[in-house]
């Protein structure tokens, strides 16, 4: 039973435009959410996170929005750059639990 | 230069053989994890360890075994009981306590034929 879902397996965006990645979760006990970026044959690297006490967190070109009532979060990348082409994983956890639950990932391709 | 190392990057084995994947970290992290990634799927937790000499099964522990004799090391053995061992295996670590991010190693691609 997958508790974190990324329903768009891929996204293609033109360089300089906005990339919007979506993530839904089913476990209402999750209170911390993370986005990881992964290049082929490498381990994921942490990108940005958000606690359930916030609805927005921004770090440079990356902004994560959290809608708790809808159990939905999104990652905005503005402007998109060629180096952003990668697989992005959404992950969620309970703050008192070591375990992370991951979505299946969204492959982003930034076109020149 | 702190980080997580996994070796080797590519590993090939014959069906029926046990194989051990190495994971070492010099980040002084207490917790360590093993994940498996298959095409089109997210990372699935195999085992995790919060402290030396202690570990817990994750969501897909069947056919795998681990040990945590040292803080720096968390080797994963893929046994012949694992039905579909071919996958990309990722090791991660995180500090004890309130830290939420897990730091990942570069991964090992295991192919069993």
């Amino acid at each position: 039973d997958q508790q974190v879902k990324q329903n768009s397996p891929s996204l293609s965006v033109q360089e300089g435009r906005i990339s919007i990645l979506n993530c839904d979760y089913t476990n209402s006990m999750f209170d911390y959410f993370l986005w990881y970026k992964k290049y082929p044959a490498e381990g994921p690297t942490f990108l940005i996170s958000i606690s359930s006490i916030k609805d927005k967190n921004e770090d440079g070109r990356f902004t994560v929005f959290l809608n708790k009532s809808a159990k939905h979060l999104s990652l905005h990348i503005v402007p998109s750059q060629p180096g952003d082409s990668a697989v992005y994983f959404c992950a969620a956890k309970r703050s008192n639990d070591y375990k992370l639950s991951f979505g299946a990932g969204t492959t982003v391709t930034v076109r020149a | 230069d702190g980080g997580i190392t996994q070796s080797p990057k590519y590993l090939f084995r014959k069906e029926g053989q046990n194989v051990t994947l190495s994971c070492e970290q010099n980040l002084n992290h207490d917790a360590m994890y093993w994940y498996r990634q298959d095409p089109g799927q997210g990372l699935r937790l195999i085992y995790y360890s919060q402290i030396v000499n202690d570990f817990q099964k994750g969501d897909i522990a069947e056919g795998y075994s681990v040990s945590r004799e040292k803080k720096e090391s968390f080797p994963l053995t893929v046994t012949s009981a694992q039905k579909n061992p071919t996958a990309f295996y990722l090791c991660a670590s995180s500090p004890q306590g309130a830290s939420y991010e897990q730091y990942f190693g570069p991964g090992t691609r295991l192919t069993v034929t």
Side-chain angles (χ1 to χ4, degrees):
Chain A
D1 180 30
Q2 196 163 8
Q3 300 183 75
V4 178
K5 298 179 182 179
Q6 295 176 256
N7 292 320
S8 297
S10 63
L11 172 69
S12 181
V13 63
Q14 193 166 10
E15 183 178 359
R17 305 296 290 270
I18 184 172
S19 295
I20 300 177
L21 291 76
N22 294 303
C23 177
D24 297 292
Y25 61 97
T26 57
N27 189 339
S28 58
M29 300 298 291
F30 288 150
D31 56 7
Y32 200 82
F33 307 89
L34 307 90
W35 286 93
Y36 282 85
K37 176 180 179 180
K38 184 183 180 300
Y39 293 116
E42 294 184 10
T45 55
F46 169 73
L47 196 57
I48 192 169
S49 62
I50 188 167
S51 165
S52 60
I53 62 173
K54 295 184 174 182
D55 55 18
K56 176 183 175 181
N57 189 27
E58 189 173 354
D59 184 1
R61 297 187 295 115
F62 303 92
T63 303
V64 56
F65 296 91
L66 176 63
N67 182 335
K68 290 186 290 294
S69 60
K71 294 191 181 68
H72 176 84
L73 64 155
S74 61
L75 174 68
H76 293 207
I77 307 174
V78 183
S80 299
Q81 298 175 353
D84 295 331
S85 295
V87 179
Y88 291 79
F89 289 100
C90 172
K93 71 188 297 295
R94 294 180 295 175
S95 55
N96 61 350
D97 194 347
Y98 278 83
K99 293 172 59 176
L100 274 175
S101 294
F102 283 86
T106 296
T107 300
V108 173
T109 303
V110 179
R111 310 185 309 271
Chain B
D1 188 20
I4 302 173
T5 57
Q6 291 185 246
S7 59
K9 193 166 182 66
Y10 299 95
L11 191 55
F12 298 88
R13 280 294 183 271
K14 295 290 187 184
E15 192 174 325
Q17 293 179 333
N18 291 355
V19 59
T20 297
L21 281 61
S22 166
C23 177
E24 303 278 333
Q25 56 99 357
N26 60 4
L27 300 168
N28 200 32
H29 287 171
D30 286 300
M32 297 186 74
Y33 313 79
W34 274 104
Y35 291 90
R36 168 183 173 139
Q37 186 193 8
D38 294 284
Q41 296 195 43
L43 280 65
R44 293 184 290 167
L45 183 65
I46 304 173
Y47 268 98
Y48 67 104
S49 168
Q50 298 181 30
I51 199 166
V52 174
N53 293 323
D54 184 56
F55 48 83
Q56 289 81 39
K57 292 182 179 180
D59 300 318
I60 54 165
E62 185 176 350
Y64 299 98
S65 65
V66 293
S67 63
R68 187 86 188 277
E69 297 176 2
K70 297 187 300 181
K71 187 175 184 177
E72 303 80 19
S73 178
F74 191 40
L76 173 75
T77 297
V78 185
T79 75
S80 56
Q82 167 51 231
K83 301 300 182 190
N84 297 295
T86 295
F88 189 52
Y89 290 87
L90 287 157
C91 179
S93 70
S94 67
Q96 180 72 270
S99 179
Y100 298 103
E101 292 90 53
Q102 293 180 14
Y103 299 82
F104 285 84
T108 293
R109 168 73 63 184
L110 173 64
T111 302
V112 177
T113 57

